[in-house]
Amino acid sequence: MSTPAAQHRNDRPDRPDRSIVTLVQDLPDLADVAEGTGALTAMERANLAAAEAALDTFQASGWAAGQALAVIAKGHLHRDTHDTFPEYLWERWGLKPSPAYRLMEGWRLAARLAPATAGRGVTGSHVTSLMPVVKAYGGDRDEDGRDELGETTAEAVFHGAQDALKESALDRKLTAALLDAAVTALPQPTELPEDQGERAKAVREAAREAVTSLIREPGGTGNGKKKEKPAPSAVRLATQVPPQLAEALDGWVDRLSAGLALPLNREGLVTRIVQLALEQPESLVAVARRIESEQAETVGGARRWTWTPKGKPRGHIRIAEERAKGHKAGRGENEVRCLTAREQTDEGLPLCGETPTWRITDQPTGPAAMVTTAYYCVGHLPADCSPPGRWNG
């Protein structure tokens, strides 16, 4: 069974292959795209043709597709054939809103990093690893929706990781895992210099050191091969458990010892239980769900988490409430809609139509602080709004 997108592609004549560079050059600057109404003008039809040509190369250049989708969404260029942007996404391209909005969110950063890849292109995993840097370390956005400070910081992380690989002389590609390590090692935003140039230097150096440390771990030979290591000795672990759990363990020990006719103790039983759990991935999920239930409280049918977000001053409270069937409008609210990424809101792109299952309330400190509330569907919940203790695996 073919998808709507496949049916549409079968109905149109083949387009000649064109280079990605040419496709991107043909796309209009997003700042020049106006929100249109009525029949498409000749210029809008030309913009639509250029955007759809770029989308035809979706597999080869996801970031070009992101820019193209942003052009179509902001200009409502789908209005001749589709009433809403989500309908256009699905029927024209077989895309659901969540992956499309991720492309639209990351295309600027990907385009910025592309020159540093020597023509190999920026992978989606690179952008996914670095987008949290743009959001956490960014500043105000310009009229075009660009966060220059956040993108400069993310670019510095990328270059710092590249520096480490060049210095190592190892034949190794820059992976998302290396970028994740670099991002984790970054200083807090408040610890970085205010000057943008000095800030980029500090971030680049921190990323370089983190990746260098990771690829030159003890036992490395410098040529990418590891020396033989002696087998590690057993590690003794100690913990305290509730009396009823210790009693249950003793009961299992007695039963297994009798049935197997072999001596067994608590330590031997716990070791085997852990080994069995590690061999079955569903056990990890079960443990995560148990921890999740311990961290969240249930209030009025919703699960609630309360914490102080990273990088915020003490006393700043964030409350996340998850309601499986979606939240309803509260007092003073006209309707509840899922807010998409900041870029979409700034550029006037359509809001998401998915059920808003998350309500995020921020309670800052200070005499002039204002409480803010936002709603998100599962696909658009920002990483910094996902509460500690919630299973995201």
Side-chain angles (χ1 to χ4, degrees), residues 186-270:
L186 292 182
Q188 291 296 318
T190 55
E191 299 172 349
L192 292 171
E194 293 186 5
D195 179 78
Q196 188 165 332
E198 293 300 318
R199 180 189 183 96
K201 289 181 182 178
V203 168
R204 184 168 183 164
E205 180 60 19
R208 186 193 67 79
E209 290 180 355
V211 175
T212 298
S213 175
L214 186 63
I215 62 180
R216 292 184 178 176
E217 60 187 24
T221 62
N223 60 4
K225 297 181 180 179
K226 294 201 171 196
K227 297 178 180 178
E228 293 292 334
K229 290 183 179 180
S233 57
V235 177
R236 176 173 291 277
L237 299 178
T239 186
Q240 292 183 328
V241 299
Q244 59 270 29
L245 180 55
E247 183 177 349
L249 281 174
D250 288 339
W252 278 45
V253 167
D254 292 342
R255 183 174 178 182
L256 288 170
S257 298
L260 295 170
L262 290 172
L264 193 65
N265 56 22
R266 285 180 181 174
E267 289 77 13
L269 175 59
V270 170

Side-chain angles (χ1 to χ4, degrees), residues 105 128-129 131-133 135-136 307 309-310 318 320 341 358 360 376-390 392:
E105 180 184 31
T128 299
S129 294
M131 278 308 298
V133 177
K135 296 177 180 179
W307 76 102
K310 185 178 181 180
R318 178 166 293 165
W358 285 91
I360 308 298
Y376 299 95
C377 68
V378 172
H380 283 134
L381 181 68
D384 60 349
C385 290
S386 183
R390 174 179 174 255
N392 290 307

Side-chain angles (χ1 to χ4, degrees), residues 86 97 101 337-340 344 350-355 377 380:
Y101 287 139
R337 298 284 303 271
C338 170
L339 289 180
T340 51
Q344 295 165 239
L351 295 178
C352 169
E354 300 291 333
T355 302
C377 68
H380 283 134

Side-chain angles (χ1 to χ4, degrees), residues 15 18 22-28 44-56 64 68 71-72:
R15 293 189 174 118
R18 303 164 63 192
T22 302
L23 289 170
V24 175
Q25 288 175 342
D26 286 349
L27 288 173
E44 287 179 323
R45 291 186 184 280
N47 289 346
L48 177 61
E52 291 191 336
L55 285 169
D56 276 332
V71 167
I72 294 172

Side-chain angles (χ1 to χ4, degrees), residues 4 9 28 54 74 76 133 152 156 174 242 283 297:
R9 285 194 289 270
K74 184 178 180 182
H76 302 294
V133 177
T152 300
L174 179 57
S283 300
E297 59 176 331

